[in-house]
DNA sequence: TTGTAAGCGTTATCAT
DNA sequence: ATGATAACGCTTACAA
């Protein structure tokens, strides 16, 4: 086992002072190009890496980003869509030397708010993978001076990186119109308390209105919650109440669409022969549904990486101003549930 | 914003010395019960939490566990089964004040081995969610003095917490024999380079032999890899070569079983009418397969938590000896793919 | 351009 | 039982 290396041992080996080593490590201060090279070379040679704890202690920076993964759903990492965002975010920030730390509500026996936690841990920034916008603690956090970014919530004062929901809805509806040549469509939405479902619903309404497509009261159903069970209930309700059976049902998320598919199967309504289905998200499993699901693919890689990029720039260049909302384009993936 | 709290501010407020505060925080040293209570109460009141970086710097402990998530599969958090283990592990260790940090191979521009990383970060222990047992770097890490535990790999010198694979195989085969009343069975195995697949295969062989069940050469097929694509190929191969069509195919993992289901569908072989399928794992999506999958459920909660528990005790009581292998019972979940 | 030295907030070892 | 004080390994003025 190699013995412990510190800037002192390095300084001694190179007959320099610790301060100088520190300067080359932090690429600031004045160091001659020659010394710089020499130090860098030696460091690489012996595989030295600065002790984070010491650096953090002194510099008040931790190179750590706090992650908010809402506990409402309480499935955390098991949720495929958000895990995927997190995965991409993580890979990106790691390239810049940051690491992630999940924000936990209790530390050392003391129950604490998000903000308290972040201040105690001295995270450099906060990444909200998914959160609950009713959560006062979250709002307090967002309103604080700590840089933050979200891949989910959208609201005042928070920088969000989200999919272009309106574009997604138009893509789906254009496809129904131009390729499927249908115009009797129904819509199953997630709960409107989520801003993203609001956006999708508004776009849907706008499109329908513009095209003057047939709609009846039950052509739109809102689910109570987010999972497939909600979708199952919603489609049963819709089929029970609707007068003219739609040609296509557009479902606001794949999770919900999974339940819709199941509901239709139980009703002996065939997909895509009797009714065609289009989802939204392209969650990893959508391609394994039976039938495989046509859907609007969110660009998870881009969502996660863009959020990472923005957060890092907010941390490292606090002065530059950024737009509060970044939209990531989506695209249509055609599979078996439409034809 | 409350002002920053340190043991100094606390000491001052309570008219004590910083050292005393430190002592009560660390439950060691001599502090009168009275002072203890007083400090504890005050700390809770103002929501103080020790600055980790300072503590780490001084104590050489980080209360951090390094996580190895093999890069071979390269899907990391997106893999539902392992994410789930990680999630449970995480929840458990957090209750004891530990946090997780993913082991990354390059830090600050320097490419490094697992062991180097762990030493530099000074993690207290290592958790291998999933790893590649060919990986020299991993082996070096395991052989080091750093406490470690695995939920996947099994080998010399490593403490593993894994499912009782043999029990799982017996459960499935007993079910086939006693409930399904069948005895013409085939087996699709994952690659034997994974120890867990070895165990399952051995148990299968032993059972078949004991019962004297019919087997031909193609009654067992090994996939090349882990995903559903492998399963698809394997079942096509099996169906092409096998002489007497089996009543039941037992598949060594749900991931692979997904592909098997798809393969059979393409072959117009109905499940469960023509052939019944039993998987292994009970990954979160198995209940959404079409048909839903009968499978051997691994107890993910228990696997993750037991690994956590063991690792913490190895860290905190290095002297006590533990068995090198902990088996977690599995159970049979009957769904639509058998009848 | 480089060296010196004072912290950063803890813990741990001595004194008291 | 409590209080001073010296590390821990780094950053950052400031001095040389």
């Amino acid at each position: 086992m190699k013995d412990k290396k510190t800037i002192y041992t390095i300084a001694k080996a190179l007959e320099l002072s610790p301060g100088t080593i520190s300067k080359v490590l932090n690429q600031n201060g004045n160091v001659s190009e020659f010394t710089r090279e020499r130090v860098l070379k030696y460091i690489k040679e012996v595989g030295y890496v600065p002790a984070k704890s010491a650096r953090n202690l002194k510099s008040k920076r931790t190179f750590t980003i706090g992650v908010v993964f809402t506990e409402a759903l309480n499935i955390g990492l098991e949720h495929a869509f958000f895990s995927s965002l997190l995965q991409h975010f993580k890979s990106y920030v790691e390239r810049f030397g940051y690491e992630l730390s999940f924000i936990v509500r209790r530390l050392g026996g003391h129950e604490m708010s998000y903000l308290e936690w972040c201040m105690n841990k001295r995270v450099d920034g906060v990444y909200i993978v998914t959160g609950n916008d009713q959560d006062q603690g979250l709002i307090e956090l967002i309103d604080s001076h700590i840089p933050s970014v979200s891949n989910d919530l959208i609201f005042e004062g928070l920088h969000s990186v989200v999919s272009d929901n309106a574009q997604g809805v138009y893509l789906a509806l254009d496809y129904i119109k131009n390729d499927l040549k249908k115009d009797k469509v129904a819509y199953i939405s997630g709960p409107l308390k989520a801003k993203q479902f609001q956006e999708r619903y508004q776009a849907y309404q706008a499109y329908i209105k513009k095209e003057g497509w047939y709609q009846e009261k039950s052509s739109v159903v809102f689910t109570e919650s987010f999972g497939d069970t909600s979708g199952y209930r919603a489609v049963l309700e819709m089929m029970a109440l609707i007068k003219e059976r739609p040609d296509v049902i557009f479902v606001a998320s794949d999770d919900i669409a999974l339940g819709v598919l199941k509901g239709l199967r139980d009703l002996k309504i065939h997909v895509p022969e009797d009714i065609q289905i289009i989802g939204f998200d392209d969650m990893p499993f959508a391609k394994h549904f039976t039938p495989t699901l046509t859907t609007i693919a969110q660009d998870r890689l881009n969502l996660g990486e863009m959020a990472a990029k923005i957060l890092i720039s907010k941390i490292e260049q606090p002065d530059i101003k950024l737009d509060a909302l970044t939209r990531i384009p989506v695209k249509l993936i055609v599979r078996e549930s439409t034809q």
Side-chain angles (χ1 to χ4, degrees), chain A:
Chain A
M1 199 119 328
K2 300 125 175 183
D3 45 344
K4 165 179 39 180
K5 295 163 205 55
T6 73
I7 49 174
Y8 277 86
T9 63
I10 295 184
K12 204 174 326 163
L14 261 38
E15 296 186 307
L16 286 167
S17 81
T20 306
I21 310 299
S22 175
K23 276 171 207 156
V24 354
L25 250 23
N26 295 286
Q27 6 228 16
N28 69 358
N30 294 326
V31 189
S32 72
E33 192 51 30
F34 174 69
T35 313
R36 227 182 101 66
E37 295 283 315
R38 210 159 68 95
V39 173
L40 250 23
K41 178 160 171 295
Y42 183 77
I43 280 177
K44 180 155 283 176
E45 213 173 284
V46 299
Y48 162 83
V49 175
K52 265 208 162 202
S53 37
R55 167 175 282 183
N56 298 346
L57 181 56
K58 181 60 193 175
S59 66
K60 265 72 168 67
R61 289 207 42 195
T62 55
F63 287 91
T64 296
I65 291 168
V67 177
V68 176
F69 221 130
T70 236
E71 292 149 43
L73 300 167
N74 202 29
I75 43 172
L77 298 175
E78 290 186 44
H79 193 290
F81 186 79
F82 293 113
S83 297
S84 176
L85 295 182
L86 178 60
Q87 171 75 27
H88 296 305
F89 183 93
K90 171 173 169 297
S91 305
Y92 190 94
V93 298
E94 274 172 359
R95 297 211 287 278
F96 291 83
Y98 289 86
E99 55 183 82
L100 302 185
S101 183
F102 289 89
I103 299 188
V104 4
R105 303 303 274 285
R106 10 180 296 112
L107 204 57
H110 174 67
E111 181 91 15
M112 58 204 321
S113 73
Y114 286 125
L115 181 55
E116 272 186 288
W117 186 91
C118 289
M119 292 184 52
N120 277 306
K121 277 269 314 185
R122 297 199 172 72
V123 295
D124 293 345
V126 171
Y127 171 44
I128 300 170
V129 193
T130 159
N132 175 351
D133 62 1
Q134 306 304 316
D135 189 335
Q136 274 307 319
L138 242 191
I139 295 174
E140 178 194 36
L141 178 59
I142 290 160
D143 288 342
S144 77
H145 64 287
I146 302 175
S148 58
V149 70
S150 156
N151 258 330
D152 180 35
L153 297 184
I154 302 177
F155 60 74
E156 262 313 287
L158 175 60
H159 193 127
S160 303
V161 178
V162 293
S163 287
D164 191 334
N165 289 305
Q167 181 211 0
V169 171
Y170 292 152
L171 277 177
L173 266 16
D174 278 346
Y175 168 68
I176 293 172
K177 177 183 165 196
N178 301 326
D179 298 83
L180 268 26
K181 318 271 191 206
K182 301 288 184 186
D183 60 6
K184 206 180 301 160
V185 31
Y187 183 64
I188 294 181
S189 170
L192 288 192
K193 66 183 180 211
K195 184 83 177 217
Q196 304 227 37
F197 285 131
Q198 272 178 40
E199 293 184 346
R200 292 172 199 175
Y201 176 57
Q202 280 162 11
Y204 176 82
Q205 292 283 65
Y207 194 102
I208 293 295
K209 191 166 174 187
K210 186 190 71 183
E211 297 293 331
W213 282 358
Y214 170 81
Q215 291 280 282
E216 54 183 273
K217 183 150 178 297
S218 294
S219 293
V220 174
V221 170
F222 298 93
T223 64
E224 271 172 65
S225 178
F226 302 88
D228 59 286
T229 315
S230 308
Y232 185 84
R233 294 210 187 107
V235 74
L236 292 196
E237 178 188 331
M238 176 180 279
M239 290 301 117
L241 298 177
I242 209 161
K243 293 186 196 88
E244 291 195 39
R245 178 183 285 186
D247 298 316
V248 187
I249 303 177
F250 182 28
V251 186
S253 95
D254 288 359
D255 259 332
I256 297 173
L258 176 63
V260 170
L261 251 19
K262 185 158 187 299
L264 293 176
R265 198 152 51 228
D266 287 358
L267 291 170
K268 309 282 187 226
I269 296 174
H270 300 284
V271 177
E273 296 80 1
D274 304 331
I275 293 186
Q276 308 189 51
I277 301 291
I278 302 179
F280 203 117
D281 285 349
D282 193 31
M283 50 172 269
F285 232 83
K287 60 167 146 332
H288 296 306
F289 287 4
T290 309
T292 58
L293 187 68
T294 293
T295 191
I296 300 297
Q298 296 201 54
D299 187 344
R300 301 192 292 271
L301 174 66
N302 227 321
L303 284 165
E305 291 201 337
M306 185 60 78
K309 194 167 170 178
I310 287 171
L311 185 55
I312 290 178
S313 75
K314 287 177 87 169
I315 291 171
E316 302 188 348
Q317 295 132 28
D319 35 311
I320 71 164
K321 285 287 161 252
L322 296 152
D323 284 341
L325 202 52
T326 305
R327 292 283 179 190
I328 305 292
V330 294
K331 65 182 186 220
L332 175 74
I333 307 284
V334 176
R335 299 207 186 89
E336 299 166 357
S337 67
T338 57
Q339 53 186 184

